Amino acid sequence: MTQAPPTDGGDPRRSAPAALRNRDAIARELARLAPGRGRALEIASGSGEHVVRFARAMPGLEWQPTDPDPGQRASIAGWIAAEAPGNVAAPRDLDVTRPGWAEDEAGAALVVLVNLLHLVTDAGARTALDGIARVLAPGGIAAIYGPFLRDGETTSEGDAAFHESLRARGTGLGYKDVAEVAARLVAAGLSHVETVRMPANNLLLVFERT
């Protein structure tokens, strides 16, 4: 859940506890795997607390945060103004579940997606993954973080309960199977680099445009 921080009423910044818990671990892996230069596209940037941390860890990249929600974009802009170095652009409106979204995003050296796939429909996830493969430049890296099914199963009671609560909405929400996600990206022309086990049963899936 994203919450407004206890700041002055004119401050648009929001705070997401999950982002604060995982951003350092994700930043360490991205710094190890990402290209040193180029444009980094962050999909569904949320509160903006990830991108300011990533930008400091990888100063050679030019970061482009995005989010379809105007309130989140205001929060991202607030965090950029307060904390980001000079390598973060203003947030843009982008919905990666919309067919055709990748047409104007080509040439990314790095694409980062954190905690989105389980919150969109199965069809939306497929659209997002196909677009990610299209926007990567040769040698570009895609890093996809979140909870996943393994052989069709969750890995903890908490994950099982959350997955079932999402599926109960009847809209195709819920955890996606890691093997199906990887197969989709490989079929779209990417090479699987590695799967990194992260805290709290999450995974970081890393692919490259070779």
Side-chain angles (χ1 to χ4, degrees):
M1 179 179 295
T2 303
Q3 302 171 340
T7 57
D8 179 79
D11 191 338
R13 289 177 296 168
R14 298 173 175 178
S15 186
L20 296 177
R21 287 194 299 269
N22 64 36
R23 65 178 184 172
D24 287 342
I26 298 172
R28 283 193 296 271
E29 297 300 330
L30 291 180
R32 177 176 66 87
L33 295 160
R37 302 285 175 183
R39 182 171 66 94
L41 175 67
E42 187 190 30
I43 293 170
S45 298
S47 67
E49 292 166 297
H50 278 128
V51 74
V52 294
R53 177 67 180 86
F54 298 163
R56 289 195 298 270
M58 290 155 274
L61 291 167
E62 296 297 324
W63 288 85
Q64 177 60 71
T66 66
D67 203 281
D69 181 87
Q72 296 287 56
R73 293 198 300 274
S75 179
I76 297 163
W79 283 111
I80 291 171
E83 294 193 11
N87 60 330
V88 187
R92 290 198 290 102
D93 181 5
L94 183 66
D95 180 358
V96 298
T97 67
R98 177 182 55 80
W101 72 266
E103 294 176 1
D104 298 324
E105 304 295 338
L110 174 67
V111 177
V112 179
L113 184 155
V114 174
N115 282 339
L116 177 70
L117 292 183
H118 61 293
L119 300 178
V120 301
T121 66
D122 293 335
R126 292 191 292 269
T127 299
L129 294 171
D130 291 346
I132 287 171
R134 286 197 293 273
V135 303
L136 280 181
I141 294 291
I144 301 171
Y145 171 95
F148 294 91
L149 300 177
R150 330 285 171 89
D151 297 321
E153 301 293 334
T154 53
T155 56
S156 72
E157 291 183 2
D159 280 340
F162 186 37
H163 171 64
E164 289 305 318
S165 73
L166 293 171
R167 281 297 190 197
R169 300 181 189 180
T171 56
L173 305 183
Y175 291 17
K176 309 308 187 272
D177 195 280
V178 63
E180 294 178 4
V181 170
R184 187 88 188 183
L185 290 170
V186 169
L190 302 188
S191 298
H192 180 226
V193 176
E194 63 180 283
T195 296
V196 184
R197 293 185 179 275
M198 303 292 283
N201 297 316
N202 291 302
L203 297 175
L204 182 69
L205 312 181
V206 185
F207 295 82
E208 182 179 9
R209 167 66 72 188
T210 54

